[in-house]
Amino acid sequence: MSNSNATNAAIGENTLGLLADVRASRGLVGGARRLVRPENPHRASLGTAFIGIGASLVCGIRAIYGFSWFVAYWPTYPNPVPALIAWILLIVVLATAFVTSSIVGDRLPDWMFSLFLGLLATVIVLDVVAVWDLHDFGRHATASLTAAMALLLVITLRRGAEILISIGAIGVSLLIIILVNTDLTPQNLPAQITSLAFAVLPVVIGVMIVRGFRSMVQVELDRVLVQSTVSAPRFAVGMLASEELARLDLAAEELLDSVATGRIALPLRPKTASVAASLATELRLHLIEGRRETWLYHAITESELLGRSVTLTDKGSLAGLLDANQRDGLLAAIWLLVNDHAKKTTVRTVQVDVGPIVPVTPVVPGHKLRVPVVITTTGVPRNRVDPSTWNAIRRVGRYSDSSQNASLRVEIECFVDNPADL
């Protein structure tokens, strides 16, 4: 086994082909592993491509509006050639960016993003040169304001922080140009402020919308993923463990097939024997885990949201005795307690204690067992609990609640079928 561990450590993988640091990245929540999903900051996933199309339409309308003012101001330009070149370049950039974003799909390479910003900066400089002698930048600038808003085309293809830094730099530059070039008066000040706001605010609002949409969809996907555990057997392996078992099975089949066909000679070489021993050990570990981990354990540890805030104590693995309706109610209650967005600054934690079994006197029909479930929260005052939370708790069993120091404690009396009668 030591030889196998050394070999796996050397190549950075275990016998499943998984990177060692991926498995090590699973943190501990209440003594339990949790699944940490990889993140790609460039991906325009979760349907944000539709937001990108909408942003492109808004940018196109702004370009038509700005170009109309450019045509109207044509006689007033001391030298309209730089402004005309700026608009030609901007139209080319907008069209190319729209086509490129449609082809690229979900990621804009760094060099392409840098080129995009460079071309926008060129457009702004040309427009500034064209209107500089008019000394009223906010009133006469057209291409430069549209160029700032053109960042909407890539809000779904780059990190929000990168877009905010870029629009911030453009906004500061335009502000400096206004202060240096324009003699501010009560008559022209509104035009300067309005132009600066039209250049900066749409991009900032767009970034906030994309972030909010991604967060909402990710939470809903996480809820759907965790909801699948409600119908799981009393003891089961989680989603990640199922994938690992499939890989273990494939590795074992390949090894046995190689021995059967003679590709690997007997007796096995030390390195091959170590790999076989590792496969057997990991299979045994998964079988042991599958006999003590319940659906609620997997629902909490494999959820991005619940894994950070919920701690489970279930020494007797009694959560597995709950029926489907009780499971759904308990999971919904926990989810609602954690996912209330009324106060984002408040740290919300939930402690779930299941068991031990309490003798029922007198004996209830069907010889049911009484399993106490205690939910203790921090940062969740009772008057902030959503009414649907109480409806979910009623599906688990009779309950009583108390509050102290802005925290909530719910004691649930849950009756379950006796596994000895099944």
Side-chain angles (χ1 to χ4, degrees):
M1 180 63 67
S2 60
N3 293 337
S4 175
N5 292 339
T7 302
N8 295 334
I11 62 176
E13 298 180 355
N14 62 3
T15 55
L16 306 178
L18 293 173
L19 294 178
D21 56 351
V22 172
R23 297 192 66 184
S25 66
R26 285 181 242 156
L28 296 180
V29 180
R33 298 175 307 174
R34 65 178 287 258
L35 174 60
V36 179
R37 299 178 181 87
E39 296 181 356
N40 188 337
H42 295 292
R43 294 195 64 83
S45 57
L46 304 178
T48 51
F50 292 102
I51 297 180
I53 294 174
S56 300
L57 293 176
V58 172
C59 189
I61 294 173
R62 180 64 178 88
I64 295 173
Y65 175 80
F67 188 78
S68 300
W69 279 107
F70 164 71
V71 174
Y73 286 141
W74 179 272
T76 64
Y77 284 110
N79 182 11
V81 175
L84 179 61
I85 297 175
W87 269 108
I88 295 174
L89 179 59
L90 179 59
I91 292 173
V92 172
V93 171
L94 293 178
T96 305
F98 179 77
V99 173
T100 302
S101 62
S102 302
I103 296 175
V104 170
D106 61 0
R107 184 179 184 275
L108 189 68
D110 294 340
W111 69 269
M112 195 175 294
F113 183 60
S114 300
L115 178 61
F116 177 71
L117 293 178
L119 293 175
L120 293 183
T122 304
V123 170
I124 294 174
V125 170
L126 290 172
D127 194 46
V128 170
V129 171
V131 302
W132 185 265
D133 293 337
L134 298 176
H135 298 288
D136 193 349
F137 180 81
R139 188 181 301 278
H140 296 96
T142 56
S144 55
L145 303 182
T146 306
M149 196 171 172
L151 284 170
L152 286 174
L153 293 172
V154 296
I155 58 173
T156 61
L157 306 179
R158 300 294 301 188
R159 295 186 184 95
E162 296 174 343
I163 302 298
L164 292 177
I165 292 173
S166 301
I167 194 60
I170 293 175
V172 171
S173 301
L174 296 180
L175 178 61
I176 293 175
I177 292 171
I178 291 174
L179 295 176
V180 173
N181 177 255
T182 306
D183 185 14
L184 298 178
T185 63
Q187 288 72 31
N188 62 23
L189 182 59
Q192 316 305 317
I193 296 176
T194 302
S195 299
L196 188 60
F198 280 166
V200 175
L201 287 183
V203 178
V204 175
I205 295 173
V207 171
M208 296 300 104
I209 290 175
V210 171
R211 283 185 174 179
F213 179 78
R214 282 175 172 161
S215 176
M216 177 191 69
V217 175
Q218 286 172 349
V219 168
E220 293 303 319
L221 288 176
D222 191 29
R223 174 65 190 274
V224 171
L225 188 67
V226 171
Q227 192 70 24
S228 63
T229 61
V230 171
S231 59
R234 178 183 178 185
F235 297 104
V237 296
M239 290 171 289
L240 182 64
S242 298
E243 180 182 354
E244 291 182 353
L245 281 173
R247 297 190 184 190
L248 278 171
D249 180 68
L250 177 61
E253 287 183 0
E254 290 177 348
L255 179 60
L256 293 175
D257 181 70
S258 298
V259 173
T261 57
R263 290 196 302 268
I264 296 179
L266 294 176
L268 298 177
R269 292 177 299 174
K271 181 178 180 180
T272 306
S274 297
V275 172
S278 296
L279 287 172
T281 300
E282 292 193 48
L283 279 170
R284 286 194 296 269
L285 289 175
H286 281 296
L287 290 174
I288 294 173
E289 288 179 350
R291 296 304 302 169
R292 59 184 175 85
E293 296 177 353
T294 66
W295 68 274
L296 185 57
Y297 171 90
H298 294 300
I300 293 174
T301 58
E302 296 181 358
S303 167
E304 287 287 338
L305 180 65
L306 301 184
R308 293 192 298 263
S309 305
V310 181
T311 303
L312 172 65
T313 302
D314 186 11
K315 297 181 180 179
S317 300
L318 299 176
L321 298 177
L322 275 64
D323 61 33
N325 185 55
Q326 292 171 325
R327 293 182 182 186
D328 185 69
L330 180 59
L331 184 59
I334 296 172
W335 192 275
L336 291 169
L337 289 172
V338 173
N339 196 37
D340 188 352
H341 297 285
K343 277 190 175 182
K344 285 187 178 283
T345 57
T346 303
V347 178
R348 294 171 175 263
T349 61
V350 175
Q351 169 71 42
V352 182
D353 298 302
V354 182
I357 294 177
V358 178
V360 179
T361 304
V363 178
V364 298
H367 303 284
K368 290 189 176 286
L369 301 177
R370 183 169 63 183
V371 178
V373 178
V374 180
I375 302 176
T376 307
T377 70
T378 58
V380 187
R382 192 186 188 286
N383 59 352
R384 304 298 300 184
V385 176
D386 191 275
S388 58
T389 305
W390 303 116
N391 294 331
I393 292 175
R394 291 189 189 97
R395 294 162 58 188
V396 183
R398 295 179 299 187
Y399 72 91
S400 62
D401 63 274
S402 60
S403 58
Q404 182 178 7
N405 298 329
S407 297
L408 177 67
R409 177 183 173 88
V410 181
E411 299 180 4
I412 308 173
E413 193 177 50
C414 180
F415 290 93
V416 300
D417 292 328
N418 191 334
D421 297 334
L422 301 178

